[in-house]
Amino acid sequence: MAPLVLHVTGARPNFPKAAPVLEALAAYDVEQLLVHTGQHYDDKMSDIFFRQLGIPKPDVNLGVGSGSHGRQTAAVMSALEELFEERRPDLVVVYGDVNSTVAAALVASKMGITFAHVEAGLRSFDMTMPEEINRLVTDKLSDLLLTTSTDAIGHLGNEGTDPDKIHFVGNPMIDTLLKNKDRFDAEAARAELGLEGPYIVATLHRPGNVDDPADVKELVDAMHAVADQAQVVIPLHPRGRARLEEAGFLDHEGMRVIDPLGYLEFMGLVRGAAAVVTDSGGVQEETTVLGVPCLTLRPNTERPVTITHGTNQLVRRDNLAEKVREVLATGPLTEWDVPPLWDGHAGPRIAQILADSVGAAKRA
Ligand code: UD1
Ligand code: UDP
């Protein structure tokens, strides 16, 4: 019987990372089982990615939904424990740094099931971020650590991780970007939203920006100062939407809040933007490859390679407007660098490592 490889996904950023791995692993003699935990469930936060990226429909949806960290993580753990008992996977694959990731890592590890972490070793060194806790726990327990950048290898080394477990494979989210780039239609995005002239795309969902009312007030003022310079389009994540709206986010000329967009529509909009303001992890990487200036509204990033190689810079609420002015004055970038191995072939590299670990050969 072919070995069983079970993939755990659950939240929006997981899907563009898992897509190329699932595709590349299909070339090997393994059975694949795709699990969706149900952490994200709105069509625009979940199903649309499967349709647009051709990801197979999940074999299992655990339907855990939203909840506090403890409740959500526990719900994923108890459902996965039952599933792993039943299916006895030979290898579990987890992606990124969300609650579904750490929940799967804890269950696999306690059941003695080998598991691989795609996007291992990223560190913001900011323990107020729930993702940093998820990253540390997941990596500590992981049997195969697949990294997107060389700084990640350094972090894992400093933490005493066995070097034989670490593999530098590149960035599968960028595989998805490069594969679909011809489908990112900036003109269609512009026409759909009736945009004229330079515009800025913003995505904001980190607790550090949208949870505390005092932070939200400052954020609203900072974004209004941005809208005074260019139109701002914000496909707003459901987290914090109510709080931002209550604080008058929309009550300013040039501010355009819309629902989250499908991957292709979002990337089309980003591709045509004069700049992006974000607190997303993935968007820092995508703008780096597209050459769109990225202003990251956070005190730190676990993706410093997007600053050293890419188009990213960290900004604060109190200097955001000034940084936007600088970027608009500079105009479109003509030269920028892309980090090593962000080349569209991470999926096949990851698949080879996963297949080797379960002793699977390529299908004839
Ligand atoms: C999660 C991840 C974060 C990631 C983000 C990507 C954790 C701890 N956080 O944050 O790292 O950057 O996803 O988008 O795992 N909601 C909906 N519809 C949905 C999903 C969520 O309305 O389909 C609302 C609910 O009110 C929910 C809130 O968003 O309580 C937060 O969702 P949750 O998955 O807990 O965290 P995110 O903020 O989405
Ligand atoms: N994204 C999208 N539509 C949107 C906003 C983001 O398709 O309206 C995509 C984005 O291109 C990236 C992923 O969602 O591929 C990033 O997810 P998110 O910002 O939610 O999570 P993070 O990367 O911060 O964990």
Side-chain angles (χ1 to χ4, degrees), residues 82-124:
E82 224 171 278
L83 183 72
F84 291 179
E85 285 284 4
E86 189 192 317
R87 298 302 306 256
R88 291 272 152 199
D90 297 286
L91 175 69
V92 168
V93 188
V94 306
Y95 298 85
D97 55 15
V98 300
N99 283 347
S100 299
T101 313
V102 72
L106 281 162
V107 176
S109 164
K110 291 205 175 191
M111 291 179 74
I113 300 169
T114 304
F115 85 91
H117 182 203
V118 173
E119 202 184 81
L122 298 186
R123 296 289 180 267
S124 66

mmCIF file of all heavy atoms in Angstrom, residues 82-124:
data_model
loop_
_atom_site.group_PDB
_atom_site.id
_atom_site.type_symbol
_atom_site.label_atom_id
_atom_site.label_comp_id
_atom_site.label_asym_id
_atom_site.label_seq_id
_atom_site.Cartn_x
_atom_site.Cartn_y
_atom_site.Cartn_z
ATOM 1 N N GLU A 82 -8.481 12.302 16.540
ATOM 2 C CA GLU A 82 -9.398 11.241 16.109
ATOM 3 C C GLU A 82 -9.088 10.809 14.673
ATOM 4 O O GLU A 82 -9.043 9.620 14.367
ATOM 5 C CB GLU A 82 -10.818 11.795 16.170
ATOM 6 C CG GLU A 82 -11.823 10.845 16.779
ATOM 7 C CD GLU A 82 -13.143 11.564 16.993
ATOM 8 O OE1 GLU A 82 -13.282 12.282 18.023
ATOM 9 O OE2 GLU A 82 -14.002 11.447 16.118
ATOM 10 N N LEU A 83 -8.865 11.813 13.823
ATOM 11 C CA LEU A 83 -8.589 11.510 12.411
ATOM 12 C C LEU A 83 -7.271 10.739 12.255
ATOM 13 O O LEU A 83 -7.177 9.780 11.486
ATOM 14 C CB LEU A 83 -8.541 12.819 11.614
ATOM 15 C CG LEU A 83 -8.325 12.671 10.123
ATOM 16 C CD1 LEU A 83 -9.575 12.103 9.444
ATOM 17 C CD2 LEU A 83 -7.986 14.030 9.490
ATOM 18 N N PHE A 84 -6.250 11.163 12.993
ATOM 19 C CA PHE A 84 -4.944 10.486 12.884
ATOM 20 C C PHE A 84 -5.057 9.050 13.415
ATOM 21 O O PHE A 84 -4.433 8.140 12.885
ATOM 22 C CB PHE A 84 -3.855 11.233 13.673
ATOM 23 C CG PHE A 84 -3.447 12.578 13.107
ATOM 24 C CD1 PHE A 84 -2.474 13.352 13.759
ATOM 25 C CD2 PHE A 84 -4.004 13.077 11.947
ATOM 26 C CE1 PHE A 84 -2.086 14.585 13.254
ATOM 27 C CE2 PHE A 84 -3.633 14.316 11.437
ATOM 28 C CZ PHE A 84 -2.671 15.075 12.101
ATOM 29 N N GLU A 85 -5.841 8.852 14.472
ATOM 30 C CA GLU A 85 -6.073 7.503 15.003
ATOM 31 C C GLU A 85 -6.677 6.621 13.920
ATOM 32 O O GLU A 85 -6.263 5.489 13.705
ATOM 33 C CB GLU A 85 -7.088 7.531 16.169
ATOM 34 C CG GLU A 85 -6.569 8.069 17.485
ATOM 35 C CD GLU A 85 -5.680 7.084 18.225
ATOM 36 O OE1 GLU A 85 -5.413 6.006 17.668
ATOM 37 O OE2 GLU A 85 -5.227 7.435 19.329
ATOM 38 N N GLU A 86 -7.647 7.215 13.218
ATOM 39 C CA GLU A 86 -8.388 6.445 12.218
ATOM 40 C C GLU A 86 -7.535 6.166 10.983
ATOM 41 O O GLU A 86 -7.470 5.058 10.488
ATOM 42 C CB GLU A 86 -9.621 7.272 11.843
ATOM 43 C CG GLU A 86 -10.641 6.581 10.989
ATOM 44 C CD GLU A 86 -11.641 7.607 10.457
ATOM 45 O OE1 GLU A 86 -12.067 8.494 11.252
ATOM 46 O OE2 GLU A 86 -11.930 7.565 9.260
ATOM 47 N N ARG A 87 -6.829 7.222 10.492
ATOM 48 C CA ARG A 87 -6.130 7.088 9.213
ATOM 49 C C ARG A 87 -4.665 6.690 9.339
ATOM 50 O O ARG A 87 -4.048 6.285 8.373
ATOM 51 C CB ARG A 87 -6.236 8.391 8.409
ATOM 52 C CG ARG A 87 -7.646 8.798 8.043
ATOM 53 C CD ARG A 87 -8.371 7.717 7.236
ATOM 54 N NE ARG A 87 -7.640 7.306 6.061
ATOM 55 C CZ ARG A 87 -7.930 7.660 4.812
ATOM 56 N NH1 ARG A 87 -8.968 8.428 4.597
ATOM 57 N NH2 ARG A 87 -7.217 7.236 3.786
ATOM 58 N N ARG A 88 -4.078 6.872 10.507
ATOM 59 C CA ARG A 88 -2.671 6.492 10.740
ATOM 60 C C ARG A 88 -1.743 6.966 9.617
ATOM 61 O O ARG A 88 -1.122 6.152 8.912
ATOM 62 C CB ARG A 88 -2.556 4.966 10.893
ATOM 63 C CG ARG A 88 -3.189 4.439 12.154
ATOM 64 C CD ARG A 88 -2.185 4.479 13.280
ATOM 65 N NE ARG A 88 -2.837 4.630 14.566
ATOM 66 C CZ ARG A 88 -2.223 5.046 15.665
ATOM 67 N NH1 ARG A 88 -0.963 5.401 15.635
ATOM 68 N NH2 ARG A 88 -2.848 5.145 16.804
ATOM 69 N N PRO A 89 -1.626 8.272 9.401
ATOM 70 C CA PRO A 89 -0.760 8.753 8.310
ATOM 71 C C PRO A 89 0.707 8.401 8.556
ATOM 72 O O PRO A 89 1.143 8.306 9.705
ATOM 73 C CB PRO A 89 -0.955 10.277 8.352
ATOM 74 C CG PRO A 89 -1.490 10.583 9.705
ATOM 75 C CD PRO A 89 -2.242 9.367 10.162
ATOM 76 N N ASP A 90 1.450 8.207 7.467
ATOM 77 C CA ASP A 90 2.886 7.959 7.581
ATOM 78 C C ASP A 90 3.635 9.269 7.758
ATOM 79 O O ASP A 90 4.731 9.299 8.292
ATOM 80 C CB ASP A 90 3.383 7.233 6.326
ATOM 81 C CG ASP A 90 2.725 5.873 6.208
ATOM 82 O OD1 ASP A 90 3.105 4.982 6.975
ATOM 83 O OD2 ASP A 90 1.788 5.731 5.388
ATOM 84 N N LEU A 91 3.041 10.351 7.244
ATOM 85 C CA LEU A 91 3.682 11.665 7.330
ATOM 86 C C LEU A 91 2.583 12.733 7.352
ATOM 87 O O LEU A 91 1.621 12.659 6.587
ATOM 88 C CB LEU A 91 4.577 11.877 6.094
ATOM 89 C CG LEU A 91 5.242 13.231 5.945
ATOM 90 C CD1 LEU A 91 6.311 13.440 7.020
ATOM 91 C CD2 LEU A 91 5.903 13.358 4.556
ATOM 92 N N VAL A 92 2.762 13.715 8.238
ATOM 93 C CA VAL A 92 1.844 14.862 8.278
ATOM 94 C C VAL A 92 2.627 16.090 7.798
ATOM 95 O O VAL A 92 3.812 16.237 8.126
ATOM 96 C CB VAL A 92 1.303 15.070 9.715
ATOM 97 C CG1 VAL A 92 0.582 16.409 9.858
ATOM 98 C CG2 VAL A 92 0.356 13.923 10.092
ATOM 99 N N VAL A 93 1.983 16.942 7.010
ATOM 100 C CA VAL A 93 2.638 18.174 6.538
ATOM 101 C C VAL A 93 1.832 19.370 7.037
ATOM 102 O O VAL A 93 0.602 19.416 6.838
ATOM 103 C CB VAL A 93 2.719 18.216 4.995
ATOM 104 C CG1 VAL A 93 3.584 19.393 4.546
ATOM 105 C CG2 VAL A 93 3.278 16.907 4.445
ATOM 106 N N VAL A 94 2.510 20.311 7.698
ATOM 107 C CA VAL A 94 1.829 21.517 8.192
ATOM 108 C C VAL A 94 2.475 22.747 7.540
ATOM 109 O O VAL A 94 3.644 22.712 7.144
ATOM 110 C CB VAL A 94 1.875 21.612 9.740
ATOM 111 C CG1 VAL A 94 1.321 20.350 10.373
ATOM 112 C CG2 VAL A 94 3.286 21.889 10.262
ATOM 113 N N TYR A 95 1.704 23.816 7.461
ATOM 114 C CA TYR A 95 2.117 25.007 6.698
ATOM 115 C C TYR A 95 2.037 26.260 7.565
ATOM 116 O O TYR A 95 1.027 26.491 8.250
ATOM 117 C CB TYR A 95 1.187 25.183 5.490
ATOM 118 C CG TYR A 95 1.257 24.026 4.527
ATOM 119 C CD1 TYR A 95 0.473 22.882 4.725
ATOM 120 C CD2 TYR A 95 2.133 24.046 3.448
ATOM 121 C CE1 TYR A 95 0.551 21.800 3.854
ATOM 122 C CE2 TYR A 95 2.223 22.966 2.576
ATOM 123 C CZ TYR A 95 1.433 21.848 2.783
ATOM 124 O OH TYR A 95 1.525 20.783 1.921
ATOM 125 N N GLY A 96 3.055 27.106 7.489
ATOM 126 C CA GLY A 96 2.976 28.450 8.061
ATOM 127 C C GLY A 96 2.947 28.488 9.577
ATOM 128 O O GLY A 96 3.646 27.698 10.244
ATOM 129 N N ASP A 97 2.136 29.389 10.120
ATOM 130 C CA ASP A 97 2.242 29.708 11.551
ATOM 131 C C ASP A 97 0.907 29.984 12.219
ATOM 132 O O ASP A 97 0.831 30.704 13.212
ATOM 133 C CB ASP A 97 3.150 30.936 11.717
ATOM 134 C CG ASP A 97 2.671 32.127 10.889
ATOM 135 O OD1 ASP A 97 1.519 32.115 10.430
ATOM 136 O OD2 ASP A 97 3.467 33.072 10.698
ATOM 137 N N VAL A 98 -0.176 29.420 11.668
ATOM 138 C CA VAL A 98 -1.497 29.728 12.235
ATOM 139 C C VAL A 98 -1.854 28.701 13.318
ATOM 140 O O VAL A 98 -1.129 27.718 13.530
ATOM 141 C CB VAL A 98 -2.580 29.800 11.121
ATOM 142 C CG1 VAL A 98 -2.226 30.874 10.112
ATOM 143 C CG2 VAL A 98 -2.776 28.448 10.441
ATOM 144 N N ASN A 99 -2.967 28.915 14.001
ATOM 145 C CA ASN A 99 -3.338 27.999 15.077
ATOM 146 C C ASN A 99 -3.512 26.563 14.586
ATOM 147 O O ASN A 99 -3.179 25.610 15.301
ATOM 148 C CB ASN A 99 -4.629 28.478 15.759
ATOM 149 C CG ASN A 99 -4.353 29.643 16.702
ATOM 150 O OD1 ASN A 99 -3.208 29.938 17.025
ATOM 151 N ND2 ASN A 99 -5.404 30.312 17.147
ATOM 152 N N SER A 100 -4.016 26.398 13.374
ATOM 153 C CA SER A 100 -4.181 25.036 12.832
ATOM 154 C C SER A 100 -2.827 24.345 12.686
ATOM 155 O O SER A 100 -2.721 23.123 12.826
ATOM 156 C CB SER A 100 -4.865 25.091 11.462
ATOM 157 O OG SER A 100 -6.141 25.670 11.582
ATOM 158 N N THR A 101 -1.778 25.131 12.402
ATOM 159 C CA THR A 101 -0.430 24.581 12.217
ATOM 160 C C THR A 101 0.086 23.993 13.532
ATOM 161 O O THR A 101 0.533 22.842 13.588
ATOM 162 C CB THR A 101 0.544 25.704 11.767
ATOM 163 O OG1 THR A 101 -0.053 26.453 10.714
ATOM 164 C CG2 THR A 101 1.887 25.156 11.362
ATOM 165 N N VAL A 102 0.026 24.796 14.585
ATOM 166 C CA VAL A 102 0.591 24.338 15.862
ATOM 167 C C VAL A 102 -0.256 23.206 16.450
ATOM 168 O O VAL A 102 0.280 22.273 17.071
ATOM 169 C CB VAL A 102 0.765 25.522 16.850
ATOM 170 C CG1 VAL A 102 -0.555 26.038 17.389
ATOM 171 C CG2 VAL A 102 1.695 25.147 17.994
ATOM 172 N N ALA A 103 -1.566 23.258 16.227
ATOM 173 C CA ALA A 103 -2.439 22.196 16.741
ATOM 174 C C ALA A 103 -2.043 20.862 16.106
ATOM 175 O O ALA A 103 -1.898 19.842 16.797
ATOM 176 C CB ALA A 103 -3.899 22.521 16.431
ATOM 177 N N ALA A 104 -1.833 20.869 14.792
ATOM 178 C CA ALA A 104 -1.458 19.636 14.091
ATOM 179 C C ALA A 104 -0.085 19.160 14.552
ATOM 180 O O ALA A 104 0.148 17.960 14.722
ATOM 181 C CB ALA A 104 -1.459 19.879 12.584
ATOM 182 N N ALA A 105 0.822 20.109 14.777
ATOM 183 C CA ALA A 105 2.176 19.749 15.216
ATOM 184 C C ALA A 105 2.125 19.047 16.571
ATOM 185 O O ALA A 105 2.789 18.025 16.789
ATOM 186 C CB ALA A 105 3.044 21.007 15.306
ATOM 187 N N LEU A 106 1.339 19.571 17.478
ATOM 188 C CA LEU A 106 1.247 18.979 18.821
ATOM 189 C C LEU A 106 0.670 17.565 18.752
ATOM 190 O O LEU A 106 1.178 16.639 19.397
ATOM 191 C CB LEU A 106 0.359 19.862 19.718
ATOM 192 C CG LEU A 106 1.059 21.109 20.267
ATOM 193 C CD1 LEU A 106 0.040 22.143 20.758
ATOM 194 C CD2 LEU A 106 1.993 20.720 21.414
ATOM 195 N N VAL A 107 -0.376 17.397 17.952
ATOM 196 C CA VAL A 107 -1.023 16.076 17.892
ATOM 197 C C VAL A 107 -0.095 15.059 17.222
ATOM 198 O O VAL A 107 0.120 13.962 17.748
ATOM 199 C CB VAL A 107 -2.378 16.159 17.145
ATOM 200 C CG1 VAL A 107 -2.995 14.770 17.008
ATOM 201 C CG2 VAL A 107 -3.328 17.082 17.895
ATOM 202 N N ALA A 108 0.477 15.433 16.083
ATOM 203 C CA ALA A 108 1.357 14.490 15.367
ATOM 204 C C ALA A 108 2.513 14.088 16.266
ATOM 205 O O ALA A 108 2.843 12.898 16.405
ATOM 206 C CB ALA A 108 1.871 15.139 14.079
ATOM 207 N N SER A 109 3.107 15.080 16.905
ATOM 208 C CA SER A 109 4.283 14.815 17.707
ATOM 209 C C SER A 109 3.960 13.888 18.885
ATOM 210 O O SER A 109 4.684 12.921 19.156
ATOM 211 C CB SER A 109 4.802 16.176 18.144
ATOM 212 O OG SER A 109 5.673 16.082 19.154
ATOM 213 N N LYS A 110 2.846 14.143 19.562
ATOM 214 C CA LYS A 110 2.489 13.288 20.712
ATOM 215 C C LYS A 110 2.106 11.880 20.284
ATOM 216 O O LYS A 110 2.219 10.940 21.067
ATOM 217 C CB LYS A 110 1.355 13.921 21.509
ATOM 218 C CG LYS A 110 1.824 15.184 22.213
ATOM 219 C CD LYS A 110 1.007 15.499 23.411
ATOM 220 C CE LYS A 110 1.620 16.686 24.118
ATOM 221 N NZ LYS A 110 1.033 16.906 25.423
ATOM 222 N N MET A 111 1.632 11.740 19.039
ATOM 223 C CA MET A 111 1.271 10.398 18.564
ATOM 224 C C MET A 111 2.454 9.707 17.888
ATOM 225 O O MET A 111 2.305 8.608 17.354
ATOM 226 C CB MET A 111 0.089 10.495 17.589
ATOM 227 C CG MET A 111 -1.198 10.910 18.288
ATOM 228 S SD MET A 111 -2.596 11.070 17.149
ATOM 229 C CE MET A 111 -2.945 9.344 16.817
ATOM 230 N N GLY A 112 3.606 10.379 17.891
ATOM 231 C CA GLY A 112 4.795 9.763 17.295
ATOM 232 C C GLY A 112 4.731 9.685 15.785
ATOM 233 O O GLY A 112 5.373 8.832 15.168
ATOM 234 N N ILE A 113 3.935 10.571 15.156
ATOM 235 C CA ILE A 113 3.845 10.582 13.691
ATOM 236 C C ILE A 113 4.836 11.619 13.158
ATOM 237 O O ILE A 113 4.863 12.766 13.627
ATOM 238 C CB ILE A 113 2.410 10.948 13.238
ATOM 239 C CG1 ILE A 113 1.415 9.921 13.779
ATOM 240 C CG2 ILE A 113 2.318 11.066 11.713
ATOM 241 C CD1 ILE A 113 -0.047 10.317 13.620
ATOM 242 N N THR A 114 5.638 11.207 12.198
ATOM 243 C CA THR A 114 6.616 12.129 11.606
ATOM 244 C C THR A 114 5.873 13.294 10.965
ATOM 245 O O THR A 114 4.871 13.092 10.282
ATOM 246 C CB THR A 114 7.413 11.382 10.507
ATOM 247 O OG1 THR A 114 7.987 10.234 11.108
ATOM 248 C CG2 THR A 114 8.492 12.251 9.909
ATOM 249 N N PHE A 115 6.374 14.531 11.209
ATOM 250 C CA PHE A 115 5.725 15.627 10.497
ATOM 251 C C PHE A 115 6.732 16.642 9.976
ATOM 252 O O PHE A 115 7.822 16.809 10.514
ATOM 253 C CB PHE A 115 4.601 16.267 11.329
ATOM 254 C CG PHE A 115 5.032 17.329 12.299
ATOM 255 C CD1 PHE A 115 5.070 18.672 11.926
ATOM 256 C CD2 PHE A 115 5.401 16.984 13.592
ATOM 257 C CE1 PHE A 115 5.451 19.642 12.829
ATOM 258 C CE2 PHE A 115 5.781 17.948 14.501
ATOM 259 C CZ PHE A 115 5.817 19.287 14.117
ATOM 260 N N ALA A 116 6.321 17.280 8.887
ATOM 261 C CA ALA A 116 7.163 18.262 8.200
ATOM 262 C C ALA A 116 6.518 19.634 8.315
ATOM 263 O O ALA A 116 5.294 19.759 8.220
ATOM 264 C CB ALA A 116 7.279 17.884 6.719
ATOM 265 N N HIS A 117 7.359 20.664 8.526
ATOM 266 C CA HIS A 117 6.855 22.039 8.606
ATOM 267 C C HIS A 117 7.341 22.837 7.402
ATOM 268 O O HIS A 117 8.547 23.048 7.243
ATOM 269 C CB HIS A 117 7.330 22.694 9.919
ATOM 270 C CG HIS A 117 6.816 24.087 10.093
ATOM 271 N ND1 HIS A 117 7.432 25.020 10.896
ATOM 272 C CD2 HIS A 117 5.736 24.705 9.561
ATOM 273 C CE1 HIS A 117 6.750 26.145 10.846
ATOM 274 N NE2 HIS A 117 5.726 25.988 10.052
ATOM 275 N N VAL A 118 6.406 23.231 6.574
ATOM 276 C CA VAL A 118 6.725 24.077 5.419
ATOM 277 C C VAL A 118 6.705 25.535 5.891
ATOM 278 O O VAL A 118 5.705 25.992 6.440
ATOM 279 C CB VAL A 118 5.681 23.861 4.288
ATOM 280 C CG1 VAL A 118 5.908 24.856 3.151
ATOM 281 C CG2 VAL A 118 5.726 22.426 3.788
ATOM 282 N N GLU A 119 7.806 26.245 5.670
ATOM 283 C CA GLU A 119 8.014 27.627 6.129
ATOM 284 C C GLU A 119 8.544 27.635 7.564
ATOM 285 O O GLU A 119 8.111 28.421 8.407
ATOM 286 C CB GLU A 119 6.731 28.449 6.018
ATOM 287 C CG GLU A 119 6.954 29.947 5.956
ATOM 288 C CD GLU A 119 5.648 30.725 5.941
ATOM 289 O OE1 GLU A 119 5.063 30.931 7.014
ATOM 290 O OE2 GLU A 119 5.211 31.101 4.844
ATOM 291 N N ALA A 120 9.473 26.744 7.829
ATOM 292 C CA ALA A 120 10.064 26.660 9.174
ATOM 293 C C ALA A 120 11.085 27.782 9.385
ATOM 294 O O ALA A 120 11.615 28.353 8.431
ATOM 295 C CB ALA A 120 10.771 25.311 9.317
ATOM 296 N N GLY A 121 11.335 28.080 10.652
ATOM 297 C CA GLY A 121 12.482 28.911 11.027
ATOM 298 C C GLY A 121 12.286 30.418 10.948
ATOM 299 O O GLY A 121 13.202 31.165 11.292
ATOM 300 N N LEU A 122 11.130 30.885 10.511
ATOM 301 C CA LEU A 122 10.922 32.344 10.492
ATOM 302 C C LEU A 122 10.753 32.825 11.936
ATOM 303 O O LEU A 122 10.099 32.192 12.739
ATOM 304 C CB LEU A 122 9.683 32.717 9.667
ATOM 305 C CG LEU A 122 9.701 32.362 8.184
ATOM 306 C CD1 LEU A 122 8.475 32.931 7.483
ATOM 307 C CD2 LEU A 122 10.961 32.870 7.513
ATOM 308 N N ARG A 123 11.350 33.962 12.248
ATOM 309 C CA ARG A 123 11.256 34.493 13.616
ATOM 310 C C ARG A 123 11.115 36.014 13.574
ATOM 311 O O ARG A 123 11.931 36.706 12.952
ATOM 312 C CB ARG A 123 12.534 34.176 14.416
ATOM 313 C CG ARG A 123 12.814 32.700 14.644
ATOM 314 C CD ARG A 123 11.845 32.055 15.647
ATOM 315 N NE ARG A 123 12.161 30.641 15.813
ATOM 316 C CZ ARG A 123 11.593 29.648 15.105
ATOM 317 N NH1 ARG A 123 10.647 29.919 14.218
ATOM 318 N NH2 ARG A 123 11.940 28.393 15.297
ATOM 319 N N SER A 124 10.111 36.517 14.312
ATOM 320 C CA SER A 124 10.001 37.967 14.495
ATOM 321 C C SER A 124 10.641 38.371 15.814
ATOM 322 O O SER A 124 10.849 39.551 16.065
ATOM 323 C CB SER A 124 8.531 38.393 14.495
ATOM 324 O OG SER A 124 7.872 37.847 15.634
#
